[in-house]
Amino acid sequence: MLCIKLCKEESTDLSLRRGGVEILTGCGAAASLRHLLVSYQSSVNTACRLGALCSFCQGNQQSWDGDTGPLSCHMLKLYIFIGLMCLARSEGDKRCATFTKLSFSKAVIGTGLDVRLLLYTGRDRTCAQIVNSTAFGDLSVTKKTTFVIHGFRPTGSAPRWMEDLVQALLSVEDMNVVVVDWNRGAATVIYNQASSKTRKVAMILKEFIDELLAKGASLSNIYMIGVSLGAHISGFVGEMYAGQLGRITALGYKQPLGNIDFYPNGGLDQPGCPKTIFGGYYADRWEAYLREKDLSATKAFFDTAEREPFCMYHYFVDVIPWNKNVRRGSITIKLSDKDGNTTESRIDHEPATFQKYQQVSLLARFHRDLSEVAAVSLLFSTGSVVGPRYKLRVIRMKLRPLTHPDRPQLCRYDLVLMENVETIFRPIPCPKLQL
């Protein structure tokens, strides 16, 4: 395959000097043709330049002499066409790097460590580039660089959450996102084998960050997000820079060690996470190191759902009973709006104890947000399969929105809840207290 490079005169017109055609072999010459085409961009577009070239050929009765002999105008046109096709091919050959996917059999055998850095930027949010300490690709050292580090991979599969997290980060800020792919090393059924490689991964990341700093990046713009063993790796990198990184977010770490510790869903098993036998990650020397720093921590609790958008909407349900005898049980609550949309929450903590005239406040969580609640249903249960059915008599039920505290509180008075029987009613706005 042939490509050509055209040499323009050292003048302001578009004439081409005689013999100014250089025959090049291979698609590597496409870059030379592209350089020529864009060199005229300030004055004319590509179509005009080719038109001028054709006019020049048609007006010239002689053949052009290239390095390989006479070159006819028709052949010149053919070479231009081949060159453009060659250029298109070189542009179309761009390939995107992908996360290493391994089989479970690989995890059983165990894998040696191989760390790959996959760069995503706003220029192409879905196509990753392989970068390293000597090749930065499209990485901009003036922007924030966020490292996303996965953890223990006992099945060898790629993390399901990785792509969503990358896209979420790029959607909120124009940054560099570097996915740290150490699946070859993390893929093993023996947890200690994977954890023994975390220091080495941290050293590789430090080498890369050192080069970023040498090119003008700042530590305050380095952000680490680590999951399970990835949290350990993030901590090791932070230790290497004496705690001067912009931020570290450690996810799935068992102990409260940060400036702010978040407890989604009470810090227990998370909804939507796969249930496997490979659980229970344990801390190592990183825990001791962080505890020496005596970090003052703030605890934050929140709930998530098992499916997108993962948000939960919270209400307090205040119940004042008037049963003569104590009742113990749980309440299921369902909300509906005027369009018939419904959302249900089972208040799934320990069964509450209902005593006469003593208010019980229950936290109810819903997957769906209803801006206007038109109907409420309650179902009381003691959890007993056999035996008598009980009643829960309620003087007042109050529904207090926590997610949207500006919305009105809703009340209902004088209710009798038959066990395991749904009671539906229309709430009314609670009266405002008069001072």
Side-chain angles (χ1 to χ4, degrees):
M1 185 176 290
L2 297 176
C3 296
I4 64 171
K5 182 172 70 177
L6 304 176
C7 304
K8 66 184 182 70
E9 287 281 8
E10 298 296 333
S11 63
T12 57
D13 61 25
L14 295 179
S15 62
L16 299 173
R17 66 167 175 250
R18 183 183 178 87
V21 179
E22 179 182 352
I23 306 299
L24 303 172
T25 60
C27 279
S32 299
L33 179 60
R34 174 169 56 187
H35 177 73
L36 171 75
L37 296 180
V38 300
S39 66
Y40 290 116
Q41 191 170 1
S42 60
S43 57
V44 291
N45 61 30
T46 303
C48 292
R49 291 196 297 278
L50 293 179
L53 178 61
C54 291
S55 297
F56 176 86
C57 289
Q58 292 169 357
N60 188 356
Q61 301 300 317
Q62 302 178 10
S63 297
W64 287 13
D65 292 328
D67 294 339
T68 59
L71 180 66
S72 69
C73 185
H74 292 296
M75 288 298 293
L76 177 61
K77 294 178 182 179
L78 175 62
Y79 290 149
I80 291 175
F81 173 75
I82 294 174
L84 292 175
M85 292 293 292
C86 201
L87 174 62
R89 177 182 170 184
S90 68
E91 292 294 328
D93 278 345
K94 178 180 179 183
R95 294 184 179 181
C96 301
T98 58
F99 190 91
T100 302
K101 298 178 181 178
L102 302 174
S103 64
F104 179 66
S105 61
K106 291 284 187 180
V108 172
I109 298 172
T111 55
L113 181 62
D114 179 25
V115 179
R116 302 166 69 240
L117 304 181
L118 280 60
L119 171 68
Y120 294 84
T121 67
R123 294 184 61 180
D124 194 336
R125 294 172 52 171
T126 60
C127 186
Q129 296 176 308
I130 293 291
V131 294
N132 53 49
S133 299
T134 60
F136 288 168
D138 292 333
L139 187 145
S140 173
V141 295
T142 61
K143 298 177 181 177
K144 177 188 290 184
T145 299
T146 300
F147 293 85
V148 180
I149 313 172
H150 66 86
F152 181 42
R153 305 303 304 163
T155 64
S157 62
R160 295 188 302 173
W161 48 265
M162 185 73 76
E163 182 178 348
D164 290 340
L165 179 56
V166 169
Q167 297 308 314
L169 290 169
L170 291 174
S171 68
V172 298
E173 185 175 344
D174 184 13
M175 67 172 74
N176 312 300
V177 178
V178 178
V179 172
V180 181
D181 173 8
W182 66 291
N183 204 24
R184 291 189 181 276
T188 172
V189 296
I190 303 176
Y191 177 78
N192 288 340
Q193 287 186 359
S195 64
S196 67
K197 300 180 177 70
T198 53
R199 284 278 184 182
K200 178 60 177 177
V201 178
M203 288 297 302
I204 293 172
L205 294 183
K206 184 180 185 301
E207 293 173 4
F208 182 71
I209 294 172
D210 283 345
E211 292 300 320
L212 294 183
L213 298 176
K215 297 295 184 181
S218 64
L219 283 176
S220 61
N221 266 347
I222 303 298
Y223 183 8
M224 314 289 288
I225 301 177
V227 177
S228 85
L229 285 181
H232 294 225
I233 294 169
S234 300
F236 294 144
V237 175
E239 177 186 2
M240 293 170 185
Y241 289 103
Q244 298 302 307
L245 295 183
R247 177 179 293 181
I248 295 177
T249 299
L251 304 173
Y253 197 78
K254 190 174 183 180
Q255 301 298 329
L257 299 172
N259 299 98
I260 304 177
D261 295 319
F262 295 92
Y263 294 85
N265 308 295
L268 304 175
D269 291 338
Q270 304 305 311
C273 290
K275 305 296 183 183
T276 70
I277 62 173
F278 307 104
Y281 304 146
Y282 295 98
D284 52 17
R285 287 176 295 176
W286 182 42
E287 177 182 353
Y289 167 77
L290 290 180
R291 289 200 179 280
E292 289 175 1
K293 299 300 181 181
D294 192 25
L295 300 175
S296 58
T298 299
K299 294 184 179 181
F301 296 84
F302 61 96
D303 292 325
T304 62
E306 69 274 8
R307 56 183 180 270
E308 292 187 10
F310 305 108
C311 297
M312 298 291 287
Y313 303 93
H314 297 79
Y315 288 81
F316 265 132
V317 181
D318 299 331
V319 177
I320 302 179
W322 59 283
N323 283 73
K324 180 178 179 180
N325 298 318
V326 175
R327 294 282 183 263
R328 284 182 56 82
S330 60
I331 292 179
T332 300
I333 180 171
K334 183 186 298 183
L335 307 180
S336 304
D337 64 13
K338 61 182 180 181
D339 296 324
N341 299 309
T342 63
T343 182
E344 181 176 323
S345 171
R346 183 180 185 278
I347 303 170
D348 54 1
H349 43 66
E350 290 295 322
T353 300
F354 299 94
Q355 299 184 39
K356 189 174 184 180
Y357 303 144
Q358 293 187 16
Q359 176 174 298
V360 177
S361 296
L362 307 172
L363 180 63
R365 301 171 295 178
F366 298 91
H367 292 85
R368 190 172 188 175
D369 182 32
L370 302 181
S371 58
E372 295 185 12
V373 177
V376 177
S377 77
L378 299 177
L379 189 147
F380 171 71
S381 175
T382 62
S384 177
V385 179
V386 295
R389 301 296 181 180
Y390 293 98
K391 300 178 182 178
L392 180 64
R393 293 177 171 84
V394 177
I395 296 177
R396 188 200 66 189
M397 187 283 310
K398 179 187 288 187
L399 190 66
R400 291 186 287 142
L402 297 181
T403 309
H404 300 283
D406 54 313
R407 294 178 183 173
Q409 298 181 4
L410 301 176
C411 287
R412 180 71 185 203
Y413 302 90
D414 297 327
L415 291 170
V416 177
L417 305 181
M418 302 294 296
E419 184 173 4
N420 297 329
V421 176
E422 185 178 20
T423 301
I424 304 174
F425 55 87
R426 184 181 300 276
I428 60 175
C430 300
K432 296 182 179 180
L433 294 177
Q434 300 294 328
L435 300 180

